[in-house]
């Protein structure tokens, strides 16, 4: 594991964007696994700038996102599809047809999960997976449990996750109770994993996840087994 401590969010965002840009330069038709949340917003801003400056091109890139709330479609401004369009895709030269987010409104969510995994496989897997980390150690929406789940699946969100994500909604009652998330297989099979975390409130969980025992009670701890993991953390 390459654990990098940086001084602030700007530095974190720059470093993370540089690693993603390097991936895109080395393999212009790569598959990027992307994440939502507040942590990657700065990274995406740097990537937008690099694309606008002509330093990188997303023309041939495919993206697969980690997760989506159940019941929110892409036109809902709290959906992760909307977030991705708004924070990245609308501002870079990626082909939107090649950006994939699980469909949280699919009539059969189990079939949606199976199709999502099959699609990632058909793409040849993920070259670089970007991750944030939840306060309870979740990655994507893989919540603490007594076992790790391999495939893309529907989860009940933990109370702490609902509370943490309520800041994006009008009220806590509006936060969906379920989500569909990529499971550990696609994440762990990614060739490279890059996890970013910032803030003093993430310090404890970062220590637990990367310097504590590997346990499904701390879902991110499984990443310790990944052969090419970079973690960038800023306490500020
Ligand atoms: C959400 C997302 C995760 C994200 C996490 C942390 O629940 N599903 O993918 O990593 O929150 O979010 P933030 O970066 O806002 O702390």
């Amino acid at each position: 594991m390459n654990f990098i401590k940086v001084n602030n969010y700007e530095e974190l965002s720059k470093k993370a964007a540089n690693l993603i840009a390097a991936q895109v330069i080395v393999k212009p038709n790569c598959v990027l696994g992307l994440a939502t949340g507040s942590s990657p917003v700065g990274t995406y801003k740097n990537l937008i700038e690099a694309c606008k400056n002509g330093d990188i091109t997303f023309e041939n890139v495919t993206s697969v996102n980690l997760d989506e709330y159940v019941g929110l479609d892409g036109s809902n401004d709290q959906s992760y599809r909307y977030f991705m369009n708004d924070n990245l895709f609308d501002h870079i030269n990626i082909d939107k047809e090649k950006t994939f987010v699980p469909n949280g409104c699919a009539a059969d969510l189990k079939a949606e999960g199976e199709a999502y995994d099959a699609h990632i496989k058909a793409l040849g897997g993920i070259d670089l997976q970007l991750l944030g980390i939840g306060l309870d150690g979740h990655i994507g929406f893989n919540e603490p449990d007594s076992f790790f789940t391999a495939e893309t699946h529907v989860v009940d969100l933990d109370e702490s996750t609902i509370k943490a994500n309520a800041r994006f909604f009008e009220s806590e009652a509006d936060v969906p109770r379920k989500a569909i998330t990529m499971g550990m297989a696609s994440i762990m099979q990614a060739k490279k994993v890059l996890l970013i975390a910032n803030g003093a409130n993430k310090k404890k969980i970062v220590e637990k996840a990367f310097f504590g025992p590997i346990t499904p009670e701390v879902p991110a701890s499984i990443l310790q087994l990944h052969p090419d993991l970079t973690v960038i953390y800023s306490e500020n």
Side-chain angles (χ1 to χ4, degrees), residues 18-30 56 127 192:
N18 284 344
L19 287 174
I20 297 169
Q23 174 66 70
V24 173
I25 288 166
V26 167
K27 186 177 175 190
N29 63 345
C30 63
I56 49 171
D127 289 296
K192 287 178 190 297

Side-chain angles (χ1 to χ4, degrees), residues 73-86:
D73 71 26
S75 63
N76 186 308
D77 63 4
Q78 294 305 331
S79 72
Y80 284 167
R81 160 54 74 183
Y82 189 100
F83 174 99
M84 288 309 300
N85 288 347
D86 199 34

Side-chain angles (χ1 to χ4, degrees), residues 132-145 155-165 184 201-202 204-206 208-209 215-221:
I133 183 169
L135 285 172
D136 61 2
H138 71 240
I139 47 176
F141 266 134
N142 290 278
E143 295 281 29
D145 210 331
V155 285
D156 292 313
L157 299 182
D158 279 8
E159 248 343 279
S160 66
T161 302
I162 292 167
K163 279 201 160 55
N165 289 2
M184 294 307 189
N201 62 339
K202 293 267 173 88
K204 254 202 194 127
I205 195 62
V206 166
K208 258 184 157 179
T215 161
E217 296 297 337
V218 183
S221 64

Side-chain angles (χ1 to χ4, degrees), residues 2-6 8-20 33-47 66 83 128-135 137-140 193-199 201-203 205-206 209-210 220 223 229-236:
N2 187 12
F3 190 92
I4 306 170
K5 219 172 159 209
V6 294
N8 53 52
Y9 183 67
E10 285 66 39
E11 238 181 88
L12 175 151
S13 301
K14 189 100 218 144
K15 266 206 178 2
N18 284 344
L19 287 174
I20 297 169
L34 298 177
T36 52
S38 45
S39 310
V41 171
T43 303
Y44 293 156
K45 284 205 171 106
N46 279 282
L47 289 175
L66 284 167
F83 174 99
L128 186 155
Q129 177 66 55
L130 175 66
L131 296 169
I133 183 169
L135 285 172
H138 71 240
I139 47 176
V193 175
L194 167 60
L195 185 140
I196 52 176
N198 69 289
N201 62 339
K202 293 267 173 88
K203 192 175 178 180
I205 195 62
V206 166
F210 301 109
L223 297 172
L229 168 68
T230 299
V231 178
I232 310 178
Y233 176 61
S234 162
E235 207 174 320
N236 302 301

